[in-house]
Amino acid sequence: ELMLVVVVVAGEMGLVPDDVLLGGGVLLGGSGVPPAPAARGGATLRFDARWPREPPSIRVEGLLSRPLVKSDRRPPASFYARLPRDEAGNLSAIDVLQHLHSFLVDPAVAMGADKADPDDMDAKRALNWIRDVKKVNQSRVDVINKYTAMALHPALFDAAAAPVEAWFAPEFWEAHTKGTPEAWREMLAEHVPGEVFSMPFLTDEFCDMLTEEIFAFYATGLPARRPNSMNNYGIILSDMGLEPFVDKLQALLQPLGRALFPGVGSAWDNHHCFIVRYRAGEDLGLDMHTDDSDVTFNLCLGLDFGGAGLQFCGTVGEADHRHHRYTYQHRKGNCVLHLGRKRHGADDITSGERINLILWNQSSTYRMSNEYRSPHYEREAAPPDAVCLSYTHDRDYGAFKKYTPGTESFRRQGWCPPPAAEYEGFKSDNAPDGPEGEAAQLVSRM
């Protein structure tokens, strides 16, 4: 059984079909009781002026992988071709939702692959894809079911329960209750005008509760994916059954995103939320980077630690992209928020252990915009500040800092800045040493 949670978005004409029920989305299928995380599906449907002759644009969301869904999380063209139409050739929103629900529950049946000719190679590939994804999903569902049965704090996993006021800092809850842009801004500290903010978010007691749950999951030895290529000891919260909890956090924070970052922060419909852990013998810090996030919330859960400042530089594509702007010091229960395209990195921890919750918020609406798809990239105004250099991404890292045994493999792998954005006097370490390298530098400027 799958409950499909649908977010309906009006297109350029403000169009929403009459047969779609708005108000927190559409719940389709299931018993009407909020299901376990593994039984949830999600989608964003975008209607424009061509409706009902043309279907909405659909983006599939949620915890589980979906077979036959493209890398951009959209159904294939064959999905749209099988949508039912009336005698006039028009579509019905309810029929679209029913077809989408069937596609997510049993894609082989919905797409007719189960009845295809045995020699149809496309159908065979589709069935193999469905089988392989089912195995991966079952493994993830098994982990969630095992852990939620032994969870220390079941309230964290209750999909039906509303957020608990006692979990949140009084300042945050007051702003949330008032719900006005002015209330949100009064609560914030603004560190870089219009770009980097911080706020009290969770109480110390709730930080301890959440941290206790995270360490309990670590102790089980259950398998967990790492959140990204840069954090080796983190956990994706959805993988331990906390996707409904993250949904609630995102919903609470959406008005703040809308107030601070119109457009990019206005219509989140996807998230990636994970824990990062820093301590001796494991990850110590984090190289300069940007996030695959439209707006990022970075919350410190503790513990006792020294060092670990968060360095903020410019915004990718701007002339001061690699110039230092601010150093933020983490405090338990406090959250720093910024655009994902803001370059930042974590200083090495010098003592103790630090645990942070990172929430990446993404908007398919924003990601369809020209601003996202064709971003402007200015020529860099001057050489970078040393603190803003990235051994992972920068083509000139070696011109300012020495590679270490742990970072040497990244030499000549960088992309930043693009050749058209090089500052005057730029020298790349992507090119080999000697006359051959000097020639390559000249060619790059032609």
Side-chain angles (χ1 to χ4, degrees):
E1 179 178 88
L2 175 109
M3 180 176 283
L4 179 62
V5 182
V6 179
V7 177
V8 181
V9 181
E12 295 177 0
M13 304 296 292
L15 179 68
V16 174
D18 292 337
D19 54 345
V20 170
L21 173 65
L22 292 179
V26 178
L27 299 182
L28 180 67
S31 62
V33 177
R40 292 164 58 89
T44 300
L45 277 64
R46 183 185 309 280
F47 296 85
D48 63 23
R50 297 173 298 169
W51 174 266
R53 298 295 298 179
E54 295 297 330
S57 170
I58 298 174
R59 177 182 166 90
V60 178
E61 314 292 357
L63 165 67
L64 299 180
S65 301
R66 299 294 177 186
L68 309 188
V69 172
K70 299 185 294 182
S71 59
D72 61 1
R73 302 187 69 86
R74 302 185 186 279
S78 54
F79 166 87
Y80 294 97
R82 298 178 71 90
L83 286 169
R85 294 177 180 267
D86 64 19
E87 294 181 355
N90 292 326
L91 297 159
S92 158
I94 294 301
D95 286 341
V96 171
L97 293 175
Q98 292 285 3
H99 183 54
L100 176 60
H101 184 262
S102 299
F103 172 73
L104 296 178
V105 170
D106 195 339
V109 173
M111 302 302 290
D114 61 325
K115 297 180 180 178
D117 188 294
D119 295 326
D120 186 333
M121 295 306 297
D122 288 339
K124 284 185 177 180
R125 282 191 288 268
L127 290 171
N128 287 337
W129 187 356
I130 293 168
R131 179 200 62 209
D132 292 344
V133 169
K134 184 176 181 179
K135 289 180 179 178
V136 172
N137 283 342
Q138 190 59 55
S139 176
R140 296 174 66 187
V141 169
D142 287 346
V143 169
I144 291 171
N145 289 339
K146 286 178 182 177
Y147 187 71
T148 53
M150 64 177 76
L152 297 179
H153 304 288
L156 291 172
F157 299 82
D158 188 344
V164 179
E165 178 180 350
W167 293 354
F168 298 91
E171 302 94 326
F172 175 84
W173 196 259
E174 181 180 0
H176 160 68
T177 303
K178 291 181 178 178
T180 64
E182 294 76 18
W184 287 117
R185 288 188 174 275
E186 286 176 6
M187 176 199 59
L188 294 169
E190 188 170 18
H191 305 294
V192 179
E195 298 181 354
V196 179
F197 305 85
S198 68
M199 64 180 180
F201 186 32
L202 299 179
T203 64
D204 284 0
E205 293 76 15
F206 184 70
C207 288
D208 293 342
M209 174 179 166
L210 185 55
T211 301
E212 185 180 33
E213 196 71 68
I214 291 162
F215 277 104
F217 181 85
Y218 277 120
T220 65
L222 289 169
R225 295 178 301 159
R226 298 308 166 213
N228 52 59
S229 61
M230 302 179 74
N231 299 109
N232 298 309
Y233 299 93
I235 294 175
I236 300 172
L237 292 192
S238 293
D239 283 0
M240 58 183 285
L242 286 173
E243 184 175 27
F245 169 73
V246 178
D247 289 342
K248 295 171 193 175
L249 288 187
Q250 185 178 64
L252 284 171
L253 294 168
Q254 176 70 88
L256 180 55
R258 190 178 297 118
L260 296 179
F261 306 113
V264 62
S266 296
W268 300 327
D269 51 18
N270 192 33
H271 58 66
H272 180 52
C273 187
F274 53 94
I275 297 297
V276 293
R277 184 174 81 184
Y278 299 95
R279 65 183 182 187
E282 296 183 356
D283 293 333
L284 297 177
L286 193 60
D287 186 33
M288 278 285 160
H289 63 285
T290 56
D291 297 334
D292 184 16
S293 165
D294 299 329
V295 179
T296 296
F297 290 81
N298 184 337
L299 166 70
C300 182
L301 298 176
L303 305 166
D304 293 326
F305 60 89
L310 185 59
Q311 303 289 352
F312 283 99
C313 301
T315 301
V316 65
E318 297 183 357
D320 65 350
H321 171 207
R322 298 192 296 163
H323 293 169
H324 185 253
R325 303 295 300 278
Y326 185 73
T327 301
Y328 175 79
Q329 299 297 333
H330 289 289
R331 291 176 54 196
K332 182 177 179 179
N334 279 29
C335 180
V336 60
L337 51 147
H338 57 89
L339 294 175
R341 61 180 182 264
K342 192 77 174 168
R343 179 172 273 218
H344 57 287
D347 293 339
D348 284 356
I349 195 168
T350 56
S351 63
E353 181 173 6
R354 178 166 69 88
I355 303 287
N356 278 49
L357 181 152
I358 313 295
L359 175 57
W360 287 358
N361 300 282
Q362 299 166 339
S363 166
S364 61
T365 302
Y366 171 69
R367 292 188 174 211
M368 293 177 66
S369 68
N370 288 333
E371 179 182 329
Y372 180 83
R373 293 188 169 188
S374 302
H376 180 63
Y377 212 113
E378 300 176 0
R379 180 177 294 277
E380 293 194 338
D385 294 337
V387 70
C388 295
L389 284 163
S390 165
Y391 59 79
T392 309
H393 304 292
D394 291 347
R395 296 165 53 226
D396 56 352
Y397 181 88
F400 299 94
K401 290 185 176 182
K402 290 184 178 180
Y403 288 93
T404 67
T407 62
E408 180 63 36
S409 62
F410 292 97
R411 183 190 294 271
R412 298 173 184 163
Q413 302 299 313
W415 64 270
C416 181
E422 293 173 359
Y423 53 85
E424 185 176 353
F426 177 87
K427 182 177 181 181
S428 171
D429 60 8
N430 281 5
D433 298 329
E436 183 180 349
E438 293 175 5
Q441 294 281 348
L442 290 173
V443 170
S444 72
R445 293 173 173 80
M446 293 177 64

